[in-house]
Amino acid sequence: MCGIVGYIGKKNTKEILLSGLKELEYRGYDSAGIAILQNGVFSNFKAVGKLVNLEEKTKEFKTNDFAVGIGHTRWATHGKPTELNAHPHLGEHSYVVHNGIIENYAELKKELQAGGVTFLSQTDTEVIVHQFEKNMKVLKNSFEAFKKTLKELHGAYAILLVTKEQSDTIFFAKHGSPMIIGINEQNENYFASSDTPLIGHCKSVNYFEDGDYGYAKPNEIVIFDKTDTKKEAKLTPLSQNRLSAQKDGFRFFMEKEIYEQSSVISDTLMGRINDKEVIFEELSPTLFAGINEIKLCACGTSYHAAMSASYLFERYAKIKTSLEIASEFRYRDPIMTKDTLFVVISQSGETADTLETLKMAKAAGLKTLAICNVDNSSIVRLSDATILTRAGIEKGVASTKAFATQVSVFWMLSLYIARLKNSMSEDAIAAQISLLREVPAHVKVNDAMHERIKRLSKRYLHGHGFFFIGRDVFYPLALEGALKLKEISYLHAEGYPSGEMKHGPIALADPELFTIALLPKYLHYEKAKSNVEELSARDSTICAISQLEFDKADDFIQINECSHYMLEFFEMMVVLQLLALEISIRLGNDVDMPRNLAKSVTVE
Ligand code: M6R
């Protein structure tokens, strides 16, 4: 979590830092800050809340000519979102910004306090700057002091540190949290947590590896790896296509992203299907050689996409598939056998828990595959193979189009494996491919439907909770519908398998319990309908979503006619996304930046 930027050069340092932070604000937005060192003098600004507050605070402040600056946008881990806890953190003559968690901060803090250091914040980060200055007093060399400090830190971090002792330099380190440096012909250096702040400033960048550390100053970048061996920067071209999304007339990015689903799914299918088969040029068929099981591992929405995949893989590819929540998998001593393909799913490619499971699978010698939306992300760089989801930049914290493209990829992948394993006839695969081609049309938002959901949403602003229910692949969709609603409306919502309601949750049924029922015509319709009738009989307020009329519901949202359950899946996905969006808007919430969340969860 959190976003970091840094700059060394002669341009308008303040503007460069602020515009970089703007691009990273999705990573955390409970406070932000910058520190700029110019002519031996530090200027430091911090503000609680969104970046606009920091912009306001720095309005009068100007930088000109050479300066060194660092900035941070925070998602609080240790300590409340206050100005004192906002980064950069100050020592006596140095500032630091950090993304990650210093696990041994309490011990270090105790020792530093015993040595007379006063702490201003409740953060783990502040120990870094004090530890650095303590080492500096002994070693009298900034880089050696920085290096020693890193050896004393346990945990995950991306760090930038500036000190008056070496006023043209930024010290950096990466261990478990992303960090990039960009260089250009004007000898400027740019640091950031991801590509976007560097677009337009640099044509090539170096992605630091875990364990890398060093320093940058005009005309010099010195990098060491985790074995303390000096290494060259490995420059990779940076795409100059600033897709920095604008809202294009939509009220929120989330809304725009729901409307974009048709075109991004077309992009995701493009070049990957013909009339008979699915072609993944990025995959070598040997990836599946000797594989008897697929293990899918992810968090949040990506986990729900993975759960949908588990139904498709077993049904079509006839391959044993298991499912893991990354944060659980990490710590449960799992059995990993080499005949398992380990698949991680992540929109951002930076989710700490998912990344860590990928490292575990690699260490156990498993073949790995990433389904990811961000090229060059940590997860992509670490996996043996990747299928990119081509959803484009997703800005809304509530994931929509990334989920749509993940499920599209999984549907394709189930057919790809089915062909490799001869588990489906050629005709059956061809029939599914022609259904896949219909998906972009089925996720197009129809004005009348959107209007109906907008009107309906006013009936669902209260109550004591929501149950989203579905069977089979509609169960993960129900989970996803509930997650969307709770993330942005702050109303309690749960996803449940329809058939499981009578095993406990039905006790909650009354008119103030809202049931959002997914009733696909082409998958277990009668069974799902009976489950809804059981809830209706107990007076739960029911909103049914189906292509078939259903008279036992209080509200009914009719989707377009579809010839297959997966098309019904995509139609219902859009309905659930719009319902969450409209309820959140009516409640007056910030749809794109809901409270307590961040777009990319880079802490465990
Ligand atoms: O970037 P990732 O797909 O790895 O992120 C995983 C979750 O943090 C993410 O899906 C989260 O649940 C979203 N806010 C859901 O809308």
Side-chain angles (χ1 to χ4, degrees), residues 299-302 345-349 351 397-399 483-484 487 601:
C299 305
T301 288
S302 296
I345 305 93
S346 175
Q347 186 286 128
S348 61
T351 301
V397 163
S399 185
L483 178 63
K484 287 292 83 81
E487 277 186 294
V601 185

Side-chain angles (χ1 to χ4, degrees), residues 372-386:
C372 190
N373 195 37
V374 181
D375 199 3
N376 283 322
S377 58
S378 303
I379 283 178
V380 167
R381 279 180 284 123
L382 200 66
S383 299
D384 298 328
T386 299

Side-chain angles (χ1 to χ4, degrees), residues 496 500-508:
Y496 233 77
E500 190 64 13
M501 290 298 284
K502 58 183 160 305
H503 296 285
I506 204 165
L508 293 166

Side-chain angles (χ1 to χ4, degrees), residues 44 86 124 195 216 244 248 268 303 311 345 414 426 463 465 562:
N44 171 229
D124 52 336
D195 290 358
S244 180
D248 288 350
T268 302
Y303 175 78
Y311 289 88
I345 305 93
S414 67
E426 284 185 9
C562 304

